Amino acid sequence: KNQVEQSPQSLIILEGKNCTLQCNYTVSPFSNLRWYKQDTGRGPVSLTIMTFSENTKSNGRYTATLDADTKQSSLHITASQLSDSASYICVVSGAGTASKLTFGTGTRLQVTL
Amino acid sequence: KAGVTQTPRYLIKTRGQQVTLSCSPISGHRSVSWYQQTPGQGLQFLFEYFSETQRNKGNFPGRFSGRQFSNSRSEMNVSTLELGDSALYLCASSLASAGQGAYEQFFGPGTRLTVL
């Protein structure tokens, strides 16, 4: 069964600090992995999309890594800001007959003063 | 360029009723996907339409159905509503189907459905 697991479930950090969110998946065959940011009450917004040939991708202060061999990804947030408080969702797309998107349950990040 | 729009934004229904939600994708996008989001389950995939054809379907009962029109606008219908159908329903559009490559999905603001 295709699954995406994220850790931690929730995280509280001080403004200005860095943090790393984890995503492990079992989707096979693999096509691409996405990270989304979702503010409370709003639709998710795409941060990065990576295919199996990409190891690292950045979007401003967000850097995603992908290890397709171990089926792991991480999202690193640098110099956090209060506006980073949101849920971060890892989504994996399979290839061929497994082409549906499989969503993780997300990590809820709270950035405090 | 206008984003994905969903109507209505909020809806209150009673058990047993049916509801139709609407989604207008970004101009030029031919793929529309629907998701249900609840606090306990996260985002759950309902179905995806591409060029008026259902491409993928999630594990939801037949009470959940959808369709896509020639202008790529999509509707989702839920019949015989149950209390557990209360959720945020999100639609997302992209240039192509998820199975066709790493196409970015753009989400709408969602429709908040409450079933009493």
Side-chain angles (χ1 to χ4, degrees), chain A residues 73-84:
Chain A
S73 176
S74 65
L75 180 69
H76 186 75
I77 304 175
T78 304
S80 61
Q81 300 176 358
L82 295 177
S83 59
D84 292 331

Side-chain angles (χ1 to χ4, degrees), chain B residues 16-60:
Chain B
Q17 287 187 307
Q18 76 165 21
V19 66
T20 299
L21 312 181
S22 180
C23 172
S24 292
I26 291 172
S27 177
H29 285 192
R30 297 166 65 188
S31 170
V32 174
S33 298
W34 287 91
Y35 301 90
Q36 181 195 68
Q37 187 173 37
T38 58
Q41 297 292 321
L43 270 163
Q44 302 286 312
F45 171 73
L46 281 156
F47 28 66
E48 178 193 14
Y49 286 88
F50 180 78
S51 294
E52 301 179 68
T53 301
Q54 188 178 88
R55 284 296 183 95
N56 277 304
K57 191 176 188 304
N59 298 320
F60 278 81

